[in-house]
Amino acid sequence: MMKEQKNIFGNKSKFAIEAILWQIDEEPIFINYCLWIRNNMVGDIGQCALLSAEMEPILKVVQLKGQRQMPFENLTAPVLTDKLIENIWGYASDYSHNVPLSNIDILSYHGECFQGYYVFLIEQQGYEWLLTKDNVDNKYYDMKIPSGIIYSTFKKFSKWIEDSTMLVLRTNNASITNG
């Protein structure tokens, strides 16, 4: 029997995470998810992955809050995104701070970009800047959003995963036996 939970966190016209958790019988739990930036899908909601493999990058987004500050010399979003991609495994020493770019690069997993997209998050005074580039079509999407919105969205997303896997997907076959 297939069990499934769907949800959208946020507003697709601004910033949102769309997700589907699913499981067949007692098999492992899978997740399909994508980001929405100004009505543009970043990722592919049709692409599934093992939930346990996706949890590390998802949780890392919130865990590293406050560690993604970086000066960027008034560069345009595409130029800055390309510079970050060029130096993805180094440090932002060119920007006068030794910020690990692995903190700014979100949702990638051990060198593989997120479903064909590079996704970066930079914290600035009063806002968060989300920068993305499609690795296939070379399309850029970016948005500046008031501080805390991206983090609170990821926090709600993480909590939903935890609640859904513990309370719904795993417990449908639970029973109480009298001893």
Side-chain angles (χ1 to χ4, degrees):
M1 179 175 137
M2 182 166 170
K3 298 170 271 184
E4 183 179 276
Q5 293 290 313
K6 297 179 181 181
N7 212 334
I8 296 176
F9 306 89
N11 181 332
K12 288 182 179 181
S13 67
K14 295 177 184 173
F15 172 75
I17 303 170
E18 183 175 1
I20 304 166
L21 288 173
W22 58 277
Q23 179 182 33
I24 297 175
D25 297 323
E26 294 302 312
E27 297 296 319
I29 300 171
F30 291 89
I31 187 168
N32 299 46
Y33 73 108
C34 66
L35 305 179
W36 287 91
I37 300 173
R38 293 190 201 152
N39 290 316
N40 295 293
M41 185 186 289
V42 172
D44 178 2
I45 192 68
Q47 186 174 338
C48 74
L50 195 59
L51 177 61
S52 59
E54 292 296 312
M55 285 310 298
E56 181 182 336
I58 290 169
L59 294 174
K60 182 179 150 188
V61 173
V62 175
Q63 290 169 347
L64 295 177
K65 182 179 181 179
Q67 298 176 40
R68 294 185 171 98
Q69 298 170 349
M70 179 183 119
F72 48 83
E73 304 173 5
N74 296 325
L75 300 173
T76 65
V79 170
L80 180 57
T81 302
D82 286 339
K83 283 184 175 281
L84 291 169
I85 292 168
E86 288 171 19
N87 299 298
I88 202 163
W89 301 113
Y91 286 82
S93 56
D94 294 345
Y95 306 102
S96 76
H97 290 42
N98 279 335
V99 177
L101 293 181
S102 60
N103 290 1
I104 293 168
D105 172 24
I106 64 170
L107 300 179
S108 68
Y109 193 74
H110 299 294
E112 294 183 19
C113 56
F114 171 69
Q115 301 178 11
Y117 286 82
Y118 292 100
V119 184
F120 301 100
L121 179 57
I122 298 174
E123 301 168 351
Q124 293 296 309
Q125 187 67 31
Y127 67 90
E128 296 154 353
W129 196 8
L130 194 62
L131 303 154
T132 66
K133 180 181 181 182
D134 183 328
N135 195 32
V136 176
D137 296 330
N138 291 320
K139 291 182 182 176
Y140 298 87
Y141 304 107
D142 78 288
M143 72 175 310
K144 292 180 180 177
I145 193 163
S147 289
I149 292 176
I150 291 174
Y151 287 112
S152 67
T153 304
F154 269 95
K155 198 174 207 176
K156 289 174 189 170
F157 177 43
S158 300
K159 178 77 170 127
W160 173 77
I161 291 171
E162 180 183 326
D163 290 347
S164 295
T165 56
M166 294 180 76
L167 300 176
V168 178
L169 297 176
R170 299 244 180 207
T171 59
N172 279 354
N173 294 327
S175 63
I176 300 172
T177 56
N178 294 327

